[in-house]
Amino acid sequence: MAALVLLVSAGSPAVVHAAGELDLLKSYVGDWRGEGALVGGDRNEPFRCRLGVSQGNAGKINYTGRCTLINATLSISGTIAYNEPEARYEAAMSSNAGYTGLAIGRQSAGRISFDLREQQKDRAGSDVRIGARIVLVDDRITVDFEVEFNNSGEVLTASVPFAR
């Protein structure tokens, strides 16, 4: 569970204005709430989150979120933008746990997904694979979290569907 807090941080994606893509990003502006369960370990734990999406500068949208577990809090923030010269969406995330990542958005059938993956060390110095996936589709946001402890093979996951 402590490694889950090692999730998610990054720089800012490049931005160029593209009207349709920017309008799509703006459609996600607002306050969102979601809940799921942290699965794995000794028992499942409730995983509740809030996410605020706001209009940023230079064609970006900004997001900030906080997820709570029984014994921990995960704070995330970042930006999502459309990079017109590269014809792609880009997302950056940061967290209170020091994770760093930039993801290229994959578009398919009206959905955009961003996969952020990173290798880190846990507090004991063991390798941990951590990641987050953000999915934007049909005025919905889903965030999936995953932590894999390489030494033990234990995997913790949480999927959080958000609604306004």
Side-chain angles (χ1 to χ4, degrees):
M1 185 169 31
L4 180 64
V5 178
L6 290 176
L7 279 174
V8 222
S9 171
S12 182
V15 178
V16 174
H17 299 285
E21 288 78 5
L22 184 55
D23 288 343
L24 176 61
L25 291 178
K26 285 181 182 179
S27 73
Y28 289 94
V29 168
D31 293 320
W32 301 77
R33 294 190 183 279
E35 62 182 72
L38 180 65
V39 178
D42 296 335
R43 61 188 161 104
N44 296 351
E45 293 188 37
F47 197 77
R48 291 183 180 86
C49 302
R50 291 177 300 162
L51 184 68
V53 180
S54 61
Q55 178 66 47
N57 295 326
K60 299 177 190 176
I61 59 171
N62 300 321
Y63 61 91
T64 58
R66 170 170 258 139
C67 296
T68 56
L69 291 153
I70 291 172
N71 295 331
T73 300
L74 171 66
S75 298
I76 61 171
S77 63
T79 60
I80 299 175
Y82 186 76
N83 181 336
E84 190 169 11
E86 298 292 328
R88 66 186 188 195
Y89 290 94
E90 298 176 351
M93 293 181 85
S94 63
S95 80
N96 60 333
Y99 171 82
T100 302
L102 175 67
I104 305 306
R106 295 186 181 185
Q107 290 182 267
S108 174
R111 87 188 237 152
I112 307 166
S113 63
F114 302 92
D115 291 318
L116 296 114
R117 303 276 178 230
E118 175 111 354
Q119 286 286 127
Q120 298 253 341
K121 299 279 186 191
D122 66 13
R123 291 181 182 169
S126 299
D127 287 333
V128 177
R129 183 182 55 79
I130 57 177
R133 174 180 295 145
I134 302 171
V135 179
L136 307 176
V137 62
D138 296 332
D139 196 37
R140 292 188 318 257
I141 298 173
T142 301
V143 180
D144 299 323
F145 299 100
E146 182 178 83
V147 177
E148 179 181 3
F149 300 91
N150 296 345
N151 289 350
S152 69
E154 181 181 22
V155 177
L156 304 176
T157 62
S159 182
V160 182
F162 286 87
R164 293 182 200 257

